[in-house]
Each structure stands twice: as structure tokens, then as C-alpha cells.
Amino acid sequence: MLRFRIRPFFFACVLLGSASLAGAQSANAALERALAAVRPANIEADLRFIASDELMGRDTPSSGQRIAARFIRARLQRLHFVPMGDGEAPSAVEGDTRGYFDHYRMRRSAVDTEASHAKIESGPAGSELAFGRDYYFYPTGAVALEREGEVVFAGEARADEVASLDLEGKWALVFDSDLPWREREANLAARGAIGCLVATPPDRPDEHTAGRAARMASWVSRGQLQVVGSEEEGAVFPDDFVARGVAKKLAGGRDLSSLEPGAVLGTRFLERRAVEDGAEEYELENVAGFWPGSDPELAKEVLIVSAHYDHVGVRDGQIYNGADDNGSGTCGLLAIAEALAAHGPMKRSILLLWVSGEEKGLKGSEAWTLAPTLPEGYRAVSDLNIDMIGRNAPDYLLVTPTRDHPAYNRLTRMIEEVAPLEGFPELGSCDEYWERSDHRNFSVNLGIPVAFLFSDVHEDYHQPTDTVDKIDFDKIARVSRVVVRMLDRLARE
Ligand SMILES: [Zn+2]
């Protein structure tokens, strides 16, 4: 009895075993095809177009940026990617009428530097402050506002320093520190502060000098692009950087080095920001190509790979080609598209997303993550972002979030496993760049695990000398293959 029962079972095992072996072999064959489709020579050909002078540095918005978008679109169309921009029929993949472009609108608002000013009141006396001399703010602060309140010292605005402070309706005077500005703002806003006055600590040379204020004011007066309809639009936590002399006045004559967090300074600060009328509006494009998954259920989970295709344009007559930043990631993502076309469908769906507006403050990814263009019932489950992957030593590659970062997740662990297969034996950390590329918006706005691959800055970073002749095309290919290997693993899980 036992013998007869065990035989069919054994037989079945052999069959299952060989079936899954065959499955694994064909999956491996598909992966090998995909990896082989990532060719340095093709990446070079694409990058010589994307980083050519004729595209004039792909500023957002510009003709060069729009031409780059159309180049990417043509490739997606040729490789039979499903268009996944916005459109009329957002519910079905098959017969979908949407195009490859995800449109969003941006508005350029410029600060009226003449009409913007501030004042310190101290007892019956007051002193007028000039924007661009005594204080300045970043272009993100280009909104009309008027705020007035008492000034309270809040240390460096660390969470533990402000936890017990009452800042409701008050300005916080703080010292610069390594605390990221978003955290500083969040800590102060949580205590009810109406704004923040940032000074250099008294033991360091003043960083917020009149010269710096003048340079910043001229930048601010050129205007800031904001995504129309975004939460940030019109909602600004004022962050004013003040010269040391101003900080002393704000402290009401007290010694800056002996202030304790919570000290009420006996002064009031009033700020008025004005913006110029007639803000210009632009329509912009992200480019989205969808690679539908083969598993009916798992296909609804979408793995995103993103890269920004814009750069900073032309300044003082010089073209900033942005071959590495981020022509490298743009063309790496095109190579990944070729790889997927060679591979065929994976179990999960994949969205390749080229975003614009990155150099203007991660605007394209902000717009997409606030209104994702995916079929009904589909959801983004991860983002792998590539930005600047074509320079420095061939085996040098950085990743964030690492173990030391609060957003650390299994993607980094998986990258550490596959990167050595492509000539990156050890990965460094770029946690300090967490806020500096588009993965940030996928993490913050969508709450999904993200990972960022980056081969670091260099002497040509944001210079007209970031040109194609300095690019390591083989390195771009190997980083792109790391991404392909990641997709293969993630899609199979
Ligand atoms: Zn850049």
C-alpha cells in the first residue's frame, strides 16, 4: 500500500520539480536577455542627444526640455510601452486613450523686493529692515504674507528644545545647525510659531551677511515655480535668515551667547512679503511608460523606476548640458525600457517615469505623487530613483536610505545583494542627499519604500562642464542592470 501510494506522489514531485526548474530556467533566460539589452553603446548614443547643446540644458520649462520629453516618448512608443500619462479614460489599460505625458501646471511667482520689508519693534522704538540687506529668504518663500508677533528664542529648534515652549502666534529666533530645515519648520510649526528667524550662532563668523542677502534677493526676485494645486502652493512657513546685527536687535540687547530656549526677548517682529502681479503659468510634462504585469493579481502592484530628465538650462550665455545630472539617469532609464522589452512581462507591473522640474525643487515628482496616473485599482508599491550615475570611480556607488536612516527598507538590502554582480562590491551612503532628489516625494507623499542610486557629485556638478565626454557609459549600464536585477527580484517575490 505504501509503495503504491508513494509512487504517484514521487512522480508528481519529479514533475513539479522539473516544471519549476524549467520555469526558473526561462525566468533566468529572460533576465539574461534583459541584462544583455542594456548596452553602453546605446546609452552613449542616447546621451549624446539628450546632453547636446541643441537641447540648451533642458531647463523647466523650455523647448529643450520638451524636445527631450518627445525623444523619450518616441522610444516608449517604439518599444510598445503602454501610455500612462493623464487622459480621458483613466480606468483601463487595454484600449486606454491616455498619452505618455503626465501634465501638470506650474506658476511662477516673483517676490516684489521693493514692497517686501520687515520691522523690529522694541518698546517705543522700532527699526526698519531692508530685504536683501538685513534679511533674506529662499525662493520657496515667494508668497504674499503679513505676520506680526513677539519674538521668543528657540535654540536650534530641535524637537526636545521646543517640546515645552509656547510659541503660539510668535516668531522663533533660532540658530543655524545641522538640523534639516524641514525638521526645523515642522518642530516650530507644531508649537504654533508663525515663522522662524535664523541667525548664525555667536561662536561662528556670520553667514547671513549683507552680501549674501543681496545675492539671495536677486535670485528670489527672478521668481519661484510652484506646482498649481499643490499643498505647498501659497502655504509657506516663513523662514527668514538675519544678519548678526539684526539678531542682536531681535534679542533686545541681550547677549546672544547666553540665551536659553524659551527666553522671551521683549521685541516684536513684523514681516510683509509682496509678490508681483500677473504670475506666469506653464504646462509641463512628466513622461510615463507602463509595462503591465502578467499575474492578474500581482500586476496591480506597480514598481516605479524614476529619473529626472530636466537640468538647469543656460546661465550667462553658457549651456549647462547636464550630461551626468541627469542625462545619465535619463538614458539609463531608456536602457531599462529596452531591457524590459527584451524580458517580456514580469509578474508585477512596472512604471518608468521621467520627471521634469527636479532642478526647480522636485516639482515633477511632487505633481505625480500628488495625483498618480495609474489604472483604477493599481497602486505604487516602491520607487527606485536614479540621478547622476555616470561619473567617479567605476566601482563607486552610493545608496540611501541606509541602515542609519529612518526610511531604511528592504530595497537597500536587496540592492546590496545585487550590486556586487555588476561591479559594485560595496555601497556607500548618500543619506545626506535624502531631500535632494525625487525619491523623497515618493516616500513622503505616497509612503512607499524607496531607494536612491547615485554616484556622487564631482567638480562639474551644476557647471557648464558637466558634458558627455566625461561620462562613463559602462557605469551607467551597470547601474541600470542593478535596477533590472532589482525589478526581476521584486517582481518575482
Ligand atoms: Zn541637479
Side-chain angles (χ1 to χ4, degrees), residues 308 310-312 325-326 358-359 387-388 436 461-462 466:
H308 77 88
D310 66 307
H311 192 50
V312 300
D325 185 8
N326 183 27
E358 193 269 357
E359 303 283 11
D387 187 356
M388 299 179 65
R436 304 250 313 254
Y461 169 69
H462 278 217
D466 179 5

Side-chain angles (χ1 to χ4, degrees), residues 185-450:
E185 279 192 16
N187 292 347
L188 293 173
R191 306 306 308 160
I194 55 172
C196 174
L197 301 158
V198 186
T200 309
D203 57 346
R204 293 212 314 250
D206 192 7
E207 285 167 20
H208 308 301
T209 57
R212 179 168 170 80
R215 283 195 300 279
M216 293 299 295
S218 104
W219 183 25
V220 165
S221 66
R222 288 200 293 271
Q224 163 73 6
L225 286 166
Q226 288 188 311
V227 176
V228 174
S230 68
E231 280 175 43
E232 271 178 32
E233 196 199 11
V236 157
F237 184 83
D239 221 350
D240 291 307
F241 295 85
V242 298
R244 178 154 297 145
V246 174
K248 284 181 181 162
K249 284 183 191 164
L250 287 165
R254 295 158 186 242
D255 180 6
L256 287 175
S257 53
S258 63
L259 294 177
E260 291 290 332
V264 178
L265 303 174
T267 54
R268 297 180 69 78
F269 187 72
L270 179 152
E271 186 190 3
R272 185 175 126 78
R273 286 185 197 180
V275 293
E276 283 170 0
D277 294 335
E280 298 162 81
E281 262 196 41
Y282 308 91
E283 185 166 69
L284 293 156
E285 301 108 349
N286 297 320
V287 192
F290 189 66
W291 197 244
S294 56
D295 183 285
E297 277 312 305
L298 294 178
K300 292 174 182 163
E301 300 184 1
V302 183
L303 312 169
I304 296 173
V305 189
S306 56
H308 77 88
Y309 69 92
D310 66 307
H311 192 50
V312 300
V314 181
R315 292 174 181 175
D316 299 325
Q318 285 189 294
I319 301 172
Y320 287 62
N321 296 118
D324 190 32
D325 185 8
N326 183 27
S328 61
T330 300
C331 298
L333 199 49
L334 288 168
I336 292 164
E338 301 270 5
L340 291 175
H343 184 286
M346 293 184 170
K347 278 188 196 163
R348 287 183 167 80
S349 300
I350 294 158
L351 181 76
L352 304 186
L353 188 63
W354 287 260
V355 295
S356 54
E358 193 269 357
E359 303 283 11
K360 293 290 188 289
L362 317 182
K363 297 305 183 186
S365 57
E366 178 186 350
W368 193 89
T369 52
L370 292 175
T373 56
L374 289 176
E376 195 72 38
Y378 285 56
R379 65 191 178 92
V381 295
S382 64
D383 172 55
L384 296 169
N385 185 45
I386 47 177
D387 187 356
M388 299 179 65
I389 53 169
R391 291 286 299 269
N392 296 322
D395 62 349
Y396 181 71
L397 186 62
L398 308 179
V399 69
T400 187
T402 68
R403 257 162 253 275
D404 301 328
H405 194 281
Y408 178 65
N409 62 75
R410 69 204 173 89
L411 296 179
T412 306
R413 237 173 11 248
M414 291 172 76
I415 290 173
E416 282 164 353
E417 284 166 24
V418 300
L421 302 172
E422 296 297 343
F424 303 104
E426 246 174 78
L427 299 175
S429 163
C430 56
D431 284 345
E432 60 184 305
Y433 291 89
W434 174 255
E435 295 278 341
R436 304 250 313 254
S437 190
D438 298 295
H439 52 276
R440 185 237 170 231
N441 283 332
F442 290 91
S443 175
V444 172
N445 295 343
L446 294 179
I448 57 175
V450 305

